[in-house]
Amino acid sequence: MKTLVCVAVLLAAAPAVAKPWQGIEPGQTRRDSILQKFGEPSRVVTNEGKEVVAYFDDKAIKGTRQVQFTVDVGTQQVERISVFPGPVVDKESIESTYGPACPSSGKQPSTPCYQKKLTDDFRTYLFYARLGLAVFLNEDGKTVQSLTFTPQQGAK
């Protein structure tokens, strides 16, 4: 959990455009839109001004094992979406969907690219700064464990 909090802080500080998932956009969509679109969640947990609206087991959203929407209790806006894919998603599929690795030197491309990073517990993730997206890989380094979508810092 500490790792995800650290990554969330990094993502929130990055100048990136929020990437919507299933029509839900971090920093723009409100909690009631989640419930309208996906129905009653499996579980809702509130802690320190944040609410996690989770869909799993028999209420899992199609194509996922679990989805967690983090909502600010005060504004009711979605701050982050964590998606745990149901089918195996490989790194190549991520690169073809969101973009390749950023060049190690020289000018950065105008299209999205990722930087490979490590969490404090040595898990590898691909960070797409322009998209506000972190893709956490499984231990094999080839398949996806989860995707986390966050808004641009200062996004309204």
Side-chain angles (χ1 to χ4, degrees):
M1 186 64 165
K2 179 180 163 188
T3 299
L4 290 178
V5 171
C6 291
V7 170
V9 169
L10 288 173
L11 290 173
V17 175
K19 188 78 177 162
W21 181 81
Q22 297 281 332
I24 306 297
E25 186 173 350
Q28 301 294 315
T29 305
R30 297 180 53 82
R31 182 186 190 279
D32 56 344
S33 295
I34 298 169
L35 300 180
Q36 281 180 325
K37 184 162 183 111
F38 302 114
E40 284 300 310
S42 304
R43 183 174 300 147
V44 176
V45 178
T46 304
N47 186 24
E48 297 181 11
K50 305 295 179 204
E51 182 178 65
V52 176
V53 179
Y55 292 85
F56 54 88
D57 292 336
D58 61 330
K59 294 184 179 182
I61 297 167
K62 185 177 180 178
T64 72
R65 287 181 288 117
Q66 183 174 164
V67 177
Q68 299 173 358
F69 298 94
T70 303
V71 177
D72 181 279
V73 173
T75 65
Q76 292 293 293
Q77 283 193 333
V78 174
E79 292 187 339
R80 182 174 74 209
I81 306 168
S82 296
V83 179
F84 299 83
V88 175
V89 176
D90 61 18
K91 183 178 167 187
E92 289 177 11
S93 295
I94 293 296
E95 289 178 336
S96 68
T97 301
Y98 297 109
C102 295
S104 57
S105 62
K107 185 178 177 185
Q108 294 297 309
S110 60
T111 57
C113 63
Y114 69 83
Q115 292 181 332
K116 191 173 183 179
K117 298 190 176 259
L118 288 176
T119 64
D120 58 353
D121 61 350
F122 303 105
R123 290 189 318 142
T124 301
Y125 68 101
L126 312 177
F127 179 55
Y128 288 88
R130 287 192 180 126
L131 301 177
L133 172 63
V135 180
F136 294 87
L137 300 177
N138 287 313
E139 288 184 18
D140 63 11
K142 297 176 183 176
T143 57
V144 175
Q145 187 258 338
S146 66
L147 296 93
T148 299
F149 299 83
T150 62
Q152 172 181 349
Q153 182 180 11
K156 297 179 182 176

